[in-house]
């Protein structure tokens, strides 16, 4: 538990229990089939290492792949891993909130019920996400007894076996090709962080800056939350009249101006990382994944459509639609830059935080080329 002075701001055990209880059951599969899927995913993860390194020309610096383990997990395993990551990442913010929670009536109320309520709410969110994530490179994951991580305190690659099986069946694609295709994407993320040693610290610094700017006064936060709900529901506006906030998520609306600046930088980095992974998986695909064109077409259609009206509403509320745009915009950026300056030219993006693209440059790749390449050559 995150516990300061005997009081819990988040009941992490309750979050795990809630998410595990509410998460949808996985696809119907025999124990023998499940073992075969796990073994194949591990083989594909290993094979993907060389495929990705050769294509990207990115080589880990002092960190071998075995130092950042590959874990094939079920939905409950994914939940436990992410709760451990949230707990580590949010520790400074929770300490800040704890120091102020007895400073007023709002803080006292939060202290009385906040840990349980927040634990349940986090569990509900994770139960929704746990059936949708195919894989994940956990950058800030601490090692636990059941979930090992890299020796430096962070880094492990998760492949969520039941979700991969569910999607391959839903799309009606070759399961062996699909599993390798997914492994290529996630291995690209592992290569990004092992080949670019400063990237993890840079991202962690940006996230902590974002959290440091969080307004920790409970009453102010509740007021923002109320305004956000009204904006999302359209309350108080005549029918047919829409504002800018209609396309914004709950996460967007409750931010301060300073947080929006940080989020702009984080959005650019995440667009780069996700777009690069999509570019690599499709670039490697034709040589090793025979049905890559069919998989990509069907998968893109699934991404765009969502599972239903409720799913689409939740994606919008949680900002997941913005993540889908990151894949598209980031892949377009990477493809445009590689076409203009080649793979080695693109890899200058990993030189330092100063060579990362801005949010505006993600939309205008030529501006990044002009800034990083032409200025360097002049």
């Amino acid at each position: 538990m995150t516990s300061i002075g005997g009081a819990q701001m988040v009941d992490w055990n309750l979050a795990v229990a809630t998410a595990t209880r509410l998460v949808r059951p996985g696809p119907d599969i025999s124990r023998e089939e499940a073992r075969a899927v796990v073994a194949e995913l591990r083989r594909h993860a290993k094979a993907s290492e060389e495929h990705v390194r050769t294509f990207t020309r990115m080589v880990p610096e002092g960190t071998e792949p075995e130092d950042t383990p590959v874990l094939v997990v079920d939905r409950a395993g994914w939940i436990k891993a992410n709760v451990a990551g949230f707990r580590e990442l949010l520790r400074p913010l929770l300490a800040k909130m704890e120091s102020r929670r007895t400073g007023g009536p709002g803080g006292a109320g939060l202290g009385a019920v906040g840990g349980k309520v927040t634990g349940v709410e986090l569990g509900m969110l994770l139960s929704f996400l746990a059936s949708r994530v195919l894989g994940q490179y956990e950058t800030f994951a601490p090692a636990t007894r059941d979930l090992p991580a890299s020796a430096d305190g962070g880094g492990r690659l998760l492949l969520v076996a039941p979700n991969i099986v569910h999607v391959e069946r839903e799309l009606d694609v070759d399961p062996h090709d699909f599993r390798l295709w997914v492994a290529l994407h996630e291995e690209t993320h592992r290569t990004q962080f092992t080949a670019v040693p400063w990237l993890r610290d840079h991202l962690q610094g940006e996230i902590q800056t974002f959290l440091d700017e969080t307004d920790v006064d409970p009453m102010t936060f509740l007021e923002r939350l109320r305004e956000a709900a009204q904006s999302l529901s359209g309350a108080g506006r005549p029918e047919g009249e829409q504002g800018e906030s209609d396309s914004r998520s709950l996460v967007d609306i409750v931010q301060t101006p300073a947080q929006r600046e940080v989020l702009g930088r984080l959005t650019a980095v995440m667009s780069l990382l996700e777009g690069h992974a999509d570019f690599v998986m499709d670039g490697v695909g034709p040589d090793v994944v025979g049905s890559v064109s069919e998989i990509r077409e069907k998968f893109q259609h699934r991404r765009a459509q969502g599972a239903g009206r409720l799913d689409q509403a939740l994606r919008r509320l949680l900002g997941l639609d913005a993540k889908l745009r990151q894949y598209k915009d980031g892949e377009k950026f990477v493809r445009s830059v590689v076409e203009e300056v080649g793979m080695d030219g693109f890899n200058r993006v990993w030189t330092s935080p100063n060579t990362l693209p801005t949010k505006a440059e993600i939309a205008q790749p030529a501006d990044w080329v002009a800034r990083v390449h032409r200025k360097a050559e002049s």
Side-chain angles (χ1 to χ4, degrees), residues 222-247:
L222 289 175
E223 181 61 29
R224 284 215 189 115
L225 197 61
R226 191 174 302 112
E227 292 173 359
Q230 291 173 352
S231 298
L232 290 167
S233 67
R237 288 199 302 269
E239 185 177 354
E241 182 177 322
Q242 297 183 353
E244 178 186 354
S245 62
D246 286 349
S247 62

mmCIF file of all heavy atoms in Angstrom, residues 222-247:
data_model
loop_
_atom_site.group_PDB
_atom_site.id
_atom_site.type_symbol
_atom_site.label_atom_id
_atom_site.label_comp_id
_atom_site.label_asym_id
_atom_site.label_seq_id
_atom_site.Cartn_x
_atom_site.Cartn_y
_atom_site.Cartn_z
ATOM 1 N N LEU A 222 -12.642 18.631 -7.650
ATOM 2 C CA LEU A 222 -14.030 18.224 -7.838
ATOM 3 C C LEU A 222 -14.791 19.215 -8.702
ATOM 4 O O LEU A 222 -15.636 18.837 -9.512
ATOM 5 C CB LEU A 222 -14.714 18.067 -6.475
ATOM 6 C CG LEU A 222 -14.273 16.855 -5.635
ATOM 7 C CD1 LEU A 222 -14.932 16.902 -4.266
ATOM 8 C CD2 LEU A 222 -14.631 15.561 -6.350
ATOM 9 N N GLU A 223 -14.496 20.513 -8.536
ATOM 10 C CA GLU A 223 -15.152 21.523 -9.371
ATOM 11 C C GLU A 223 -14.751 21.358 -10.833
ATOM 12 O O GLU A 223 -15.594 21.448 -11.742
ATOM 13 C CB GLU A 223 -14.765 22.922 -8.877
ATOM 14 C CG GLU A 223 -15.420 24.054 -9.662
ATOM 15 C CD GLU A 223 -16.945 24.015 -9.568
ATOM 16 O OE1 GLU A 223 -17.473 23.532 -8.546
ATOM 17 O OE2 GLU A 223 -17.593 24.453 -10.543
ATOM 18 N N ARG A 224 -13.474 21.088 -11.077
ATOM 19 C CA ARG A 224 -13.031 20.843 -12.451
ATOM 20 C C ARG A 224 -13.711 19.603 -13.024
ATOM 21 O O ARG A 224 -14.084 19.559 -14.190
ATOM 22 C CB ARG A 224 -11.515 20.649 -12.483
ATOM 23 C CG ARG A 224 -10.748 21.939 -12.347
ATOM 24 C CD ARG A 224 -9.485 21.876 -13.191
ATOM 25 N NE ARG A 224 -8.673 23.033 -12.863
ATOM 26 C CZ ARG A 224 -7.495 22.973 -12.289
ATOM 27 N NH1 ARG A 224 -6.969 21.809 -11.989
ATOM 28 N NH2 ARG A 224 -6.819 24.061 -12.031
ATOM 29 N N LEU A 225 -13.826 18.589 -12.181
ATOM 30 C CA LEU A 225 -14.454 17.351 -12.627
ATOM 31 C C LEU A 225 -15.910 17.602 -13.010
ATOM 32 O O LEU A 225 -16.408 17.075 -14.010
ATOM 33 C CB LEU A 225 -14.359 16.310 -11.521
ATOM 34 C CG LEU A 225 -14.591 14.847 -11.890
ATOM 35 C CD1 LEU A 225 -13.558 14.376 -12.900
ATOM 36 C CD2 LEU A 225 -14.552 13.973 -10.645
ATOM 37 N N ARG A 226 -16.609 18.409 -12.209
ATOM 38 C CA ARG A 226 -18.006 18.731 -12.502
ATOM 39 C C ARG A 226 -18.119 19.488 -13.823
ATOM 40 O O ARG A 226 -18.985 19.215 -14.658
ATOM 41 C CB ARG A 226 -18.587 19.550 -11.352
ATOM 42 C CG ARG A 226 -20.080 19.725 -11.416
ATOM 43 C CD ARG A 226 -20.589 20.435 -10.151
ATOM 44 N NE ARG A 226 -20.250 19.699 -8.946
ATOM 45 C CZ ARG A 226 -19.373 20.135 -8.037
ATOM 46 N NH1 ARG A 226 -18.756 21.288 -8.196
ATOM 47 N NH2 ARG A 226 -19.109 19.416 -6.973
ATOM 48 N N GLU A 227 -17.221 20.454 -14.041
ATOM 49 C CA GLU A 227 -17.226 21.198 -15.301
ATOM 50 C C GLU A 227 -16.931 20.276 -16.475
ATOM 51 O O GLU A 227 -17.513 20.415 -17.562
ATOM 52 C CB GLU A 227 -16.188 22.316 -15.241
ATOM 53 C CG GLU A 227 -16.532 23.423 -14.250
ATOM 54 C CD GLU A 227 -15.398 24.426 -14.110
ATOM 55 O OE1 GLU A 227 -14.355 24.229 -14.788
ATOM 56 O OE2 GLU A 227 -15.536 25.387 -13.339
ATOM 57 N N ALA A 228 -16.012 19.336 -16.258
ATOM 58 C CA ALA A 228 -15.673 18.397 -17.327
ATOM 59 C C ALA A 228 -16.880 17.553 -17.714
ATOM 60 O O ALA A 228 -17.173 17.347 -18.894
ATOM 61 C CB ALA A 228 -14.517 17.493 -16.883
ATOM 62 N N ALA A 229 -17.599 17.054 -16.696
ATOM 63 C CA ALA A 229 -18.768 16.226 -16.980
ATOM 64 C C ALA A 229 -19.819 17.010 -17.746
ATOM 65 O O ALA A 229 -20.446 16.509 -18.686
ATOM 66 C CB ALA A 229 -19.346 15.696 -15.672
ATOM 67 N N GLN A 230 -20.022 18.283 -17.365
ATOM 68 C CA GLN A 230 -20.990 19.112 -18.083
ATOM 69 C C GLN A 230 -20.563 19.356 -19.522
ATOM 70 O O GLN A 230 -21.379 19.328 -20.452
ATOM 71 C CB GLN A 230 -21.168 20.441 -17.348
ATOM 72 C CG GLN A 230 -21.869 20.303 -16.011
ATOM 73 C CD GLN A 230 -21.893 21.604 -15.229
ATOM 74 O OE1 GLN A 230 -21.247 22.590 -15.615
ATOM 75 N NE2 GLN A 230 -22.618 21.611 -14.125
ATOM 76 N N SER A 231 -19.270 19.577 -19.725
ATOM 77 C CA SER A 231 -18.771 19.820 -21.076
ATOM 78 C C SER A 231 -18.938 18.591 -21.955
ATOM 79 O O SER A 231 -19.327 18.687 -23.122
ATOM 80 C CB SER A 231 -17.296 20.219 -21.039
ATOM 81 O OG SER A 231 -17.121 21.421 -20.332
ATOM 82 N N LEU A 232 -18.652 17.425 -21.394
ATOM 83 C CA LEU A 232 -18.751 16.198 -22.168
ATOM 84 C C LEU A 232 -20.184 15.813 -22.466
ATOM 85 O O LEU A 232 -20.493 15.235 -23.502
ATOM 86 C CB LEU A 232 -18.049 15.056 -21.432
ATOM 87 C CG LEU A 232 -16.519 15.162 -21.389
ATOM 88 C CD1 LEU A 232 -15.953 14.183 -20.374
ATOM 89 C CD2 LEU A 232 -15.914 14.908 -22.748
ATOM 90 N N SER A 233 -21.090 16.140 -21.553
ATOM 91 C CA SER A 233 -22.487 15.757 -21.750
ATOM 92 C C SER A 233 -23.262 16.785 -22.542
ATOM 93 O O SER A 233 -24.376 16.513 -22.988
ATOM 94 C CB SER A 233 -23.162 15.560 -20.391
ATOM 95 O OG SER A 233 -23.248 16.792 -19.704
ATOM 96 N N GLY A 234 -22.682 17.990 -22.711
ATOM 97 C CA GLY A 234 -23.394 19.031 -23.437
ATOM 98 C C GLY A 234 -24.363 19.794 -22.565
ATOM 99 O O GLY A 234 -25.184 20.567 -23.065
ATOM 100 N N ALA A 235 -24.354 19.587 -21.251
ATOM 101 C CA ALA A 235 -25.286 20.263 -20.355
ATOM 102 C C ALA A 235 -25.107 21.764 -20.434
ATOM 103 O O ALA A 235 -23.988 22.275 -20.443
ATOM 104 C CB ALA A 235 -25.054 19.791 -18.912
ATOM 105 N N GLY A 236 -26.234 22.475 -20.474
ATOM 106 C CA GLY A 236 -26.185 23.929 -20.486
ATOM 107 C C GLY A 236 -26.040 24.532 -21.857
ATOM 108 O O GLY A 236 -25.999 25.753 -21.982
ATOM 109 N N ARG A 237 -25.980 23.713 -22.931
ATOM 110 C CA ARG A 237 -25.881 24.265 -24.284
ATOM 111 C C ARG A 237 -27.130 23.899 -25.061
ATOM 112 O O ARG A 237 -27.661 22.790 -24.921
ATOM 113 C CB ARG A 237 -24.658 23.702 -25.006
ATOM 114 C CG ARG A 237 -23.336 24.220 -24.504
ATOM 115 C CD ARG A 237 -22.244 23.982 -25.547
ATOM 116 N NE ARG A 237 -22.122 22.584 -25.885
ATOM 117 C CZ ARG A 237 -21.312 21.722 -25.270
ATOM 118 N NH1 ARG A 237 -20.575 22.127 -24.274
ATOM 119 N NH2 ARG A 237 -21.238 20.466 -25.650
ATOM 120 N N PRO A 238 -27.613 24.789 -25.892
ATOM 121 C CA PRO A 238 -28.768 24.460 -26.719
ATOM 122 C C PRO A 238 -28.460 23.283 -27.618
ATOM 123 O O PRO A 238 -27.323 23.051 -28.002
ATOM 124 C CB PRO A 238 -28.990 25.741 -27.547
ATOM 125 C CG PRO A 238 -28.306 26.815 -26.779
ATOM 126 C CD PRO A 238 -27.156 26.159 -26.084
ATOM 127 N N GLU A 239 -29.488 22.519 -27.955
ATOM 128 C CA GLU A 239 -29.312 21.355 -28.813
ATOM 129 C C GLU A 239 -28.714 21.773 -30.144
ATOM 130 O O GLU A 239 -29.139 22.741 -30.764
ATOM 131 C CB GLU A 239 -30.657 20.668 -29.046
ATOM 132 C CG GLU A 239 -30.542 19.383 -29.829
ATOM 133 C CD GLU A 239 -31.881 18.689 -29.981
ATOM 134 O OE1 GLU A 239 -32.857 19.171 -29.379
ATOM 135 O OE2 GLU A 239 -31.941 17.671 -30.686
ATOM 136 N N GLY A 240 -27.689 21.029 -30.572
ATOM 137 C CA GLY A 240 -27.044 21.326 -31.847
ATOM 138 C C GLY A 240 -25.903 22.296 -31.736
ATOM 139 O O GLY A 240 -25.136 22.471 -32.667
ATOM 140 N N GLU A 241 -25.750 22.949 -30.575
ATOM 141 C CA GLU A 241 -24.646 23.897 -30.396
ATOM 142 C C GLU A 241 -23.499 23.177 -29.739
ATOM 143 O O GLU A 241 -23.633 22.638 -28.645
ATOM 144 C CB GLU A 241 -25.104 25.072 -29.528
ATOM 145 C CG GLU A 241 -24.006 26.132 -29.335
ATOM 146 C CD GLU A 241 -24.522 27.313 -28.526
ATOM 147 O OE1 GLU A 241 -25.675 27.709 -28.713
ATOM 148 O OE2 GLU A 241 -23.756 27.805 -27.678
ATOM 149 N N GLN A 242 -22.350 23.185 -30.388
ATOM 150 C CA GLN A 242 -21.205 22.444 -29.881
ATOM 151 C C GLN A 242 -20.017 23.365 -29.726
ATOM 152 O O GLN A 242 -19.869 24.338 -30.467
ATOM 153 C CB GLN A 242 -20.842 21.294 -30.824
ATOM 154 C CG GLN A 242 -21.958 20.264 -30.938
ATOM 155 C CD GLN A 242 -21.552 19.102 -31.810
ATOM 156 O OE1 GLN A 242 -20.503 19.116 -32.431
ATOM 157 N NE2 GLN A 242 -22.393 18.091 -31.864
ATOM 158 N N GLY A 243 -19.180 23.039 -28.765
ATOM 159 C CA GLY A 243 -17.982 23.820 -28.522
ATOM 160 C C GLY A 243 -16.736 23.019 -28.744
ATOM 161 O O GLY A 243 -16.780 21.835 -29.072
ATOM 162 N N GLU A 244 -15.602 23.655 -28.524
ATOM 163 C CA GLU A 244 -14.309 23.003 -28.729
ATOM 164 C C GLU A 244 -14.139 21.793 -27.845
ATOM 165 O O GLU A 244 -13.532 20.797 -28.228
ATOM 166 C CB GLU A 244 -13.202 24.020 -28.447
ATOM 167 C CG GLU A 244 -11.804 23.455 -28.585
ATOM 168 C CD GLU A 244 -10.758 24.450 -28.162
ATOM 169 O OE1 GLU A 244 -11.111 25.602 -27.882
ATOM 170 O OE2 GLU A 244 -9.573 24.066 -28.120
ATOM 171 N N SER A 245 -14.727 21.841 -26.625
ATOM 172 C CA SER A 245 -14.509 20.761 -25.676
ATOM 173 C C SER A 245 -15.186 19.464 -26.077
ATOM 174 O O SER A 245 -14.942 18.423 -25.478
ATOM 175 C CB SER A 245 -15.006 21.173 -24.283
ATOM 176 O OG SER A 245 -16.392 21.422 -24.309
ATOM 177 N N ASP A 246 -16.072 19.496 -27.107
ATOM 178 C CA ASP A 246 -16.741 18.271 -27.518
ATOM 179 C C ASP A 246 -15.751 17.204 -27.949
ATOM 180 O O ASP A 246 -16.029 16.019 -27.853
ATOM 181 C CB ASP A 246 -17.698 18.556 -28.692
ATOM 182 C CG ASP A 246 -18.950 19.281 -28.220
ATOM 183 O OD1 ASP A 246 -19.153 19.370 -27.004
ATOM 184 O OD2 ASP A 246 -19.711 19.753 -29.084
ATOM 185 N N SER A 247 -14.600 17.607 -28.478
ATOM 186 C CA SER A 247 -13.627 16.641 -28.965
ATOM 187 C C SER A 247 -12.542 16.352 -27.944
ATOM 188 O O SER A 247 -11.580 15.670 -28.246
ATOM 189 C CB SER A 247 -12.973 17.169 -30.252
ATOM 190 O OG SER A 247 -12.289 18.372 -29.992
#
